[in-house]
Amino acid sequence: MKEKIRDWVYVLLFAGIVSLFSFIKPVNVDKDNNIDSLSNIEYVFIKDTLTEWQVFVMALVEVECERNPNAKSNKNAIGPFQITEVYVSEINRLYNTNFIFEDAWDLNKSIKMFELMNDYYNPNRDIDKAIQIHNPGAGSWYAKRIKERMKLIKFSELVRSELTNLNS
């Protein structure tokens, strides 16, 4: 019974993350109007399309916690963004806020802390810089993994867009 409830909590959390960004959707495919190569997909962003930054944030969360909002690393990083105590302390120092480490479990507070960190150190929202800021000790494999996940999310958004268009 506990496992069933836990599984539903994960489903609802993921649905919440997706719906958080659902006011946006992608439209086009690659230059030849096919979807054979995910690496060539170009998106025309319209009112209901995820921005590149939003796709990145979703990919980062998926890589960090593997869709487990209760994830805790062996380095004591917690929550969807795998935030550390040092990360929280830095946000509090920069903005004179009063986040506590346990706030990293809360999706909304985690997003807020992540955005605040990037507001300060990465105001232009450069994805490579954001990756470095979020996990400065990770190797190139980390950035590659996030970018690969971004391609999958873009494809999922393309499918969602087409499904939405079918129901219109």
Side-chain angles (χ1 to χ4, degrees), residues 37-144:
S37 173
L38 290 180
S39 63
N40 293 328
I41 292 178
E42 289 183 7
Y43 288 85
V44 176
F45 292 101
I46 59 171
K47 182 180 176 190
D48 193 23
T49 304
L50 286 173
T51 65
E52 191 74 2
W53 183 257
Q54 290 166 326
V55 170
F56 159 66
V57 172
M58 289 180 69
L60 177 75
V61 167
E62 285 192 16
V63 167
E64 286 291 344
C65 75
E66 293 297 331
R67 298 185 181 176
N68 176 4
N70 298 317
K72 182 176 182 179
S73 78
N74 59 358
K75 295 183 180 178
N76 205 33
I78 62 172
F81 283 83
Q82 289 296 279
I83 290 176
T84 63
E85 290 186 68
V86 171
Y87 196 100
V88 175
S89 294
E90 180 67 358
I91 292 297
N92 288 334
R93 183 188 71 76
L94 293 172
Y95 292 98
N96 198 27
T97 52
N98 58 356
F99 287 106
I100 59 172
F101 181 50
E102 288 72 24
D103 289 338
W105 295 113
D106 182 286
L107 180 61
N108 289 329
K109 290 178 181 178
S110 291
I111 291 170
K112 181 70 175 168
M113 286 189 275
F114 177 79
E115 291 295 333
L116 285 171
M117 187 71 83
N118 280 279
D119 286 346
Y120 191 85
Y121 289 112
N122 186 20
N124 294 327
R125 296 302 194 260
D126 177 90
I127 289 172
D128 290 320
K129 188 171 184 177
I131 292 169
Q132 182 64 29
I133 290 166
H134 192 72
N135 193 344
S140 59
W141 62 269
Y142 181 69
K144 183 178 180 184

Side-chain angles (χ1 to χ4, degrees), residues 9-27:
V9 168
Y10 292 156
V11 168
L12 293 173
L13 178 68
F14 182 71
I17 290 171
V18 171
S19 68
L20 182 73
F21 300 114
S22 67
F23 58 92
I24 313 189
K25 73 181 171 198
V27 189

